[in-house]
Amino acid sequence: LCGGATVFSPIILAGVKPTEKVGVIGLGGLGHMALNFLNNGGCEVIAFSSSPDKKEQILAMGATKVINSRDPKELESITGSLNFILNTTNVTLDWNSYLVALAPKGRFHNVGAVLEPMAIPTFTLLMGEKTVGSSPIGSPAVIRTMLEFCVRHDIYPMVEEFPLAKVNEAIKHLEEGKARYRIVLKV
């Protein structure tokens, strides 16, 4: 619920249209939900992932294309083409590479808890009239809309279940980057 609302809210706030070409950075617990929302909303979705082993699964979830976020040439291949990018990661990235990928008047939205200051190059924003934003979880009204959207499009998170007795194994699985895509502890 929280993860879904966290990525659904900025899509609504930014007024993303079904005809837009959009990007999702990080296809984990938040990003896989964002991909589902945007894909079911009619958008062409470019996924950015640093995990090559996820590529086929990400395409099966509805991404049009998967860009290796660690390959500057792949990032360069989409320069000026995205209307909206949603960052779900909590790590410092080469922000300019993503801002350059935005089309004129493109919007970059961050929901990942990046702990370091973001070095945003003003010139890249100025020349394309681009914006950078961020938001917390959505309002009760947005959450209600998200749930209605999920029911209409049969959207559910992909989860791995662990019994509560194996909580330490679950945490280790998550820390090793093996979670696909959210972990649920069952009592």
Side-chain angles (χ1 to χ4, degrees), residues 49-61:
S49 178
S50 62
S51 302
D53 61 314
K54 287 185 182 179
K55 183 175 182 174
E56 292 308 315
Q57 195 169 31
I58 293 169
L59 290 170
M61 282 191 266

Side-chain angles (χ1 to χ4, degrees), residues 57-79:
Q57 195 169 31
I58 293 169
L59 290 170
M61 282 191 266
T64 306
K65 184 177 186 177
V66 179
I67 298 286
N68 180 343
S69 58
R70 295 181 185 190
D71 184 341
K73 288 186 181 189
E74 284 195 38
L75 285 167
E76 194 176 295
S77 74
I78 57 161
T79 296

Side-chain angles (χ1 to χ4, degrees), residues 23-27 47-51 67-71 75 85-100 108-121:
V24 176
I25 305 170
L27 275 290
F48 298 93
S49 178
S50 62
S51 302
I67 298 286
N68 180 343
S69 58
R70 295 181 185 190
D71 184 341
L75 285 167
I85 296 176
L86 183 62
N87 176 38
T88 68
T89 68
N90 64 349
V91 296
T92 297
L93 302 171
D94 177 1
W95 305 114
N96 193 56
S97 292
Y98 293 100
L99 296 175
V100 168
F108 181 94
H109 200 91
N110 189 63
V111 295
V114 179
L115 299 177
E116 297 175 12
M118 295 172 66
I120 303 293

